[in-house]
Amino acid sequence: NLSVIYGGTSGHYWKLRPLNGWVSATSLGMVGSGSTDNATTFASILSLSSASNWSVFLPAGTYNIGSMITSDNLTNITLRGVSPEKTILYWTHSGSDVEGWRWTGTGGKIRINNIAFKANPANDVRLFAQNGNYTDVIWNGCEFTSSDKIWYAWQSTSSVKNWGWENCWFHGTTN
């Protein structure tokens, strides 16, 4: 679902144009095998899609995330999976009070649809708008699972407005 305008070898910039405004995460390097660490690739896709105003489709699969993702200034992003049963972002790193996805800077108009967010059974799933100002963020049809706690929090220095969870499921203790 991409047309390559110009490319390079691994580690170099590719200028891509999505078809119909959508780009597949697997076309940009993510692997939903349940064993590949996609942390760096996912962070790059978020940054690129925000800068390019792209919508990202995550096909069915389990996309392991082996470290915290920090996203700066996310704006006008749509992430869409097949369903929370089929498209899973799974944070695999271990330790006490491990963070998953930290948002910094200023952003908004973010839509996240039909994706499951899961964590290593020993950890929390933490979704932060930390030290950031984010408005108009909608989670729709998502599932959040952790054997401990599920965090959708922000620091007192952050401004979070118009966040919504529609048709979402939370398994664990929410904070």
Side-chain angles (χ1 to χ4, degrees):
N1 66 350
L2 290 173
S3 59
V4 178
I5 299 171
Y6 121 9
T9 59
S10 178
H12 290 82
Y13 176 73
W14 288 77
K15 187 170 182 183
L16 305 169
R17 182 178 59 215
L19 299 177
N20 299 319
W22 285 89
V23 62
S24 171
T26 55
S27 295
L28 294 173
M30 286 190 69
V31 179
S33 64
S35 60
T36 301
D37 183 0
N38 292 283
T40 302
T41 305
F42 186 53
S44 295
I45 288 171
L46 292 168
S47 183
L48 181 61
S49 62
S50 181
S52 303
N53 198 23
W54 292 353
S55 297
V56 178
F57 175 69
L58 286 100
T62 299
Y63 299 91
N64 287 359
I65 308 293
S67 61
M68 180 181 69
I69 304 280
T70 298
S71 299
D72 298 317
N73 305 314
L74 295 179
T75 304
N76 295 321
I77 290 181
T78 298
L79 299 177
R80 181 177 303 276
V82 175
S83 71
E85 295 84 18
K86 294 183 177 181
T87 303
I88 301 163
L89 290 175
Y90 183 65
W91 272 263
T92 59
H93 52 299
S94 61
S96 177
D97 295 328
V98 174
E99 297 179 4
W101 192 1
R102 179 185 297 172
W103 297 6
T104 61
T106 301
K109 295 186 181 176
I110 299 169
R111 302 291 180 267
I112 301 173
N113 305 290
N114 304 323
I115 299 172
F117 295 85
K118 297 186 177 186
N120 180 320
N123 299 310
D124 302 338
V125 174
R126 293 185 176 197
L127 303 174
F128 280 86
Q130 185 172 4
N131 296 327
N133 299 301
Y134 282 86
T135 60
D136 194 20
V137 178
I138 304 296
W139 307 79
N140 187 353
C142 293
E143 184 172 359
F144 302 87
T145 304
S146 175
S147 61
D148 187 13
K149 295 177 183 156
I150 301 162
W151 295 81
Y152 47 93
W154 48 87
Q155 289 185 339
S156 60
T157 57
S158 299
S159 173
V160 178
K161 297 177 184 173
N162 299 325
W163 279 46
W165 288 266
E166 301 169 351
N167 304 309
C168 291
W169 299 269
F170 297 88
H171 307 284
T173 303
T174 57
N175 281 341

